[in-house]
Every structure is written in C-alpha cells, then in structure tokens.
Amino acid sequence: MARRKKISMQDIADKLEISKNAVSLALTNKKGVSDELRSRIIHTAKEMGYGSYAISESSDSNILVLVPERIMSYQDNDHFQFFHDMIWGLEKSIRSKGFNAVIAPIDRESEHRLQLPRLFTDISYRGIILFGITRPEYARLVWEQDVRLVMMDSYYRELPCPVVASANMEGAYEAVSYLIECGHNDIGFIGPVNLTTSHEERWLGYWKAMQSGGLKIRGEHCLTSSVGYDYTVEEISSFLSGLEERPSAFFCSNDRIAYILAELLQEKNVGVPEDVSIAGYDDLQYDSSSGVDMTTMRVEKERMCDAAATMLLSLTEPSREAVRWSIASTLVVRSSVQRRENKP
C-alpha cells in the first residue's frame, strides 16, 4: 500500500482536530486521554498509515479483528469498559508478537444484511479473530470464508473452529459453591441463557453446583430467557415483583445484572447482603447507586487476549477443529455476600 508522504502525529491531530500532545499520549500508551479518544487516535493512525500502526501490504503482518460496532460504542456504558479493555488488550497482545491488529467494526446494518467489512477484501491479513456476540448467520458467513479464524469470548457450537473463552461453567460453579459454603441453600439465578454460550455455560455451572450441594433449583427463583441483548431493568423488576418469596441469595450471569438486582432490591427496602446476598460475573466496574461491592468472578481478560493471538498465529491453515482454550476466572470476594450463621 503506497504512501505519498510520511505521516506525522501532527497530521493525525489535524484530522481529528485535537492537539499533537493528545496524539502523542495515546500512541505511547500514557495517561492523559480518555479511552474513547485513545481508540479514535489509534484507529486514525492505522487508517493514515502512521509508523508501526500502518496497515502492512504483507499478508503475514496483519490480523483482522472483527468486532460488533455496538460493543465499541461509549453509549453502551454497561458493556463499554469490559469490551473496550478486551479490544485494547487484543491489540496490545498482537502488537507484542510483531503483528498489526486491524480493527474492523461490524455495524448493525451490515450484520443484518450479512455484509463483510470492506477491510475483508481491501487488505491482506494472516487470519481473523471474531470477537464478541454476532448474529449466528453472520458468524457462519465469516466461518465459511477460507481463512484462518479464531472466535473469542462467544462461539457457536454448530461452527467448529478454534475458540478462546472464559471457563464459564467452572467459574459459575465456583461462585455458587461459595454461596453454598456461606450457608445459602436457596439460591436463585438470573441470566439470559438463550442468548449466548457464555450465559448458557454459567447456568450449567450454577446447576452443577446446586446438584453437587444437594440443593433444589426452584424454577420460580430463576430468570433465564430474554428477547434482547441483555435484560432490561423492567424485565428484572417484573421478575422480582412476581416472587412470592425471595431466595436468600442470587447468582447473576454478569455484573450488570447483579448491580441492577441490588438497586431494585434496595428500592424494595431489601438489604444487600443483610437480607439477600448476590454474586455476579466478569468483575465489571459498574456505576451503581447501590453502594454494593460485588462478589464476582473476574474474567482474566489479558490472558484471554494473549491466548487468542497465540492460537491464531499457531494456525498454518483454516481449521475446522472445535479446539477450545478456556481461561480460568478468579473468585473475588466482596461485601455483597454475607454468611448465614443459622442454617435452616
């Protein structure tokens, strides 16, 4: 890809109408600019072909990272930080191995029309990492291309290929086992298991822990399906209002749900954790009015990113093997869970 002139930081600053100092801080990974601006600067640097950020002509130098645009948007505050950290971590891991991470957002219209990003055909690349949740039909479209492919975070069982994901079932099992150890024998579950493999596996981990503990799963204490990308506040509120009696604890399949649950319980004058204990998943720094410090399973994002880059670079050709690299999560105990001294 020929360049007419050498691109400077000032050129990037002029295009974005920001200071050269802001560009320098972003490209040298220093503090002083927001995560959103840092991403814009790096993306622009790649587009313009600045230094080591330039997209290479060599098919062995670029790795294409396909990401649903909705999870890259700062407007989605509930998920932005978690997914932004993962995208940034992927870019960092790929660059540390001497390759260029080329981020290709998938907008909603392209996803529904089953259109691949222009970068898919406009540049050469070693392989593709498909990150995040897409429509199954879109994932199949990518899978059907004759390219080296690794799916990350979410995957589709009917599309056998290498996958890097959190050890969701094992993590959920550990979290629910901790609730049981704390004396809770009536534990509810909230998570849209019909939407993604991650939520489904966390449900299976909950189920396995309850079975191992000899505890009964009460269907009326479980909310497991949703019509949207994640539960709305209204859906969770409606579920709580329909309960004749509450369990002593809930395991939620992500921290967003856990914090919403804590806020709604407090609105009903139910103490967390005095009346109801809650454990979540992801270790998401959620902006909550509840004041609760959430017990959770920390997804080891940096290790997942490095594993995805390593797995892709290990492929010598497109693979149809359902190889899975599961990264263990870490239990983080905080004050949202309280031990029950008097077990029924």
Side-chain angles (χ1 to χ4, degrees):
M1 188 179 293
R3 306 288 180 190
R4 293 185 178 180
K5 69 167 187 173
K6 185 177 180 179
I7 300 299
S8 68
M9 288 189 183
Q10 188 61 57
D11 293 324
I12 299 171
D14 291 343
K15 182 172 182 178
L16 294 175
E17 298 182 346
I18 59 176
S19 69
K20 180 180 175 181
N21 183 58
V23 174
S24 176
L25 291 173
L27 298 185
T28 55
N29 198 26
K30 294 179 180 178
K31 296 180 179 179
V33 294
S34 67
D35 288 339
E36 182 182 20
L37 180 56
R38 189 187 305 277
S39 292
R40 288 175 54 208
I41 291 169
I42 291 174
H43 183 70
T44 303
K46 289 182 176 181
E47 283 186 332
M48 297 179 71
Y50 172 78
S52 61
Y53 287 90
I55 297 174
S56 171
E57 291 180 348
S58 169
S59 61
D60 290 333
S61 297
N62 300 319
I63 293 177
L64 193 59
V65 182
L66 302 183
V67 185
E69 192 174 58
R70 63 176 174 272
I71 67 175
M72 295 178 68
S73 172
Y74 189 74
Q75 293 177 343
D76 185 1
N77 290 311
D78 295 335
H79 300 93
F80 173 78
Q81 182 180 350
F82 180 83
F83 288 120
H84 179 274
D85 288 348
M86 294 284 273
I87 296 167
W88 178 250
L90 258 179
E91 189 162 41
K92 182 179 178 181
S93 293
I94 290 169
R95 290 191 67 213
S96 72
K97 300 178 189 304
F99 294 82
N100 300 313
V102 183
I103 310 298
I106 307 166
D107 61 55
R108 292 181 184 273
E109 184 177 356
S110 296
E111 188 175 354
H112 282 274
R113 291 187 177 185
L114 300 181
Q115 296 175 336
L116 295 169
R118 287 186 58 185
L119 284 171
F120 206 95
T121 54
D122 285 356
I123 67 168
S124 298
Y125 43 84
R126 183 182 179 93
I128 293 174
I129 295 176
L130 178 60
F131 172 66
I133 304 166
T134 64
R135 295 178 63 210
E137 298 86 353
Y138 196 90
R140 177 172 289 279
L141 173 67
V142 177
W143 179 81
E144 288 175 344
Q145 309 305 306
D146 188 28
V147 296
R148 284 169 281 202
L149 171 67
V150 169
M151 293 187 184
M152 181 177 173
D153 189 51
S154 290
Y155 64 98
Y156 307 85
R157 292 187 178 88
E158 66 274 18
L159 305 177
C161 79
V163 171
V164 171
S166 173
N168 294 297
M169 186 172 70
E170 295 82 357
Y173 180 90
E174 184 175 359
V176 177
S177 295
Y178 174 70
L179 290 172
I180 296 171
E181 290 171 11
C182 289
H184 298 280
N185 57 18
D186 187 2
I187 303 170
F189 175 93
I190 304 179
V193 302
N194 61 313
L195 295 183
T196 72
T197 51
S198 296
H199 289 292
E200 179 186 82
E201 289 168 354
R202 293 171 190 180
W203 160 259
L204 292 174
Y206 160 82
W207 180 89
K208 185 178 179 181
M210 295 290 281
Q211 294 295 311
S212 296
L215 302 180
K216 180 181 179 181
I217 296 176
R218 300 177 61 178
E220 65 271 24
H221 290 171
C222 299
L223 178 62
T224 59
S225 63
S226 176
V227 296
Y229 175 59
D230 204 347
Y231 285 125
T232 63
V233 174
E234 290 74 21
E235 285 179 294
I236 299 173
S237 178
S238 177
F239 165 71
L240 288 178
S241 297
L243 294 177
E244 292 186 3
E245 58 178 321
R246 288 183 296 270
S248 68
F250 279 100
F251 170 64
C252 301
S253 63
N254 66 29
D255 285 339
R256 173 185 176 273
I257 295 171
Y259 279 111
I260 290 174
L261 175 62
E263 291 174 4
L264 290 172
L265 287 172
Q266 289 178 344
E267 288 176 7
K268 297 177 180 292
N269 295 318
V270 177
V272 178
E274 297 83 5
D275 301 314
V276 175
S277 290
I278 304 174
Y281 208 110
D282 289 336
D283 196 21
L284 174 68
Q285 300 302 309
Y286 189 78
D287 185 16
S288 171
S289 62
S290 67
V292 171
D293 288 327
M294 193 62 64
T295 293
T296 186
M297 296 302 300
R298 176 184 297 138
V299 172
E300 300 297 347
K301 293 176 280 190
E302 186 173 336
R303 291 180 56 208
M304 283 182 64
C305 292
D306 191 68
T310 299
M311 179 174 274
L312 182 66
L313 293 172
S314 72
L315 298 177
T316 58
E317 60 184 13
S319 173
R320 288 293 185 259
E321 297 294 327
V323 179
R324 181 169 177 186
W325 190 341
S326 296
I327 305 298
S329 300
T330 304
L331 176 65
V332 181
V333 176
R334 300 192 179 106
S335 62
S336 66
V337 174
Q338 180 171 287
R339 291 184 176 274
R340 299 187 72 196
E341 299 300 332
N342 298 315
K343 300 180 183 180

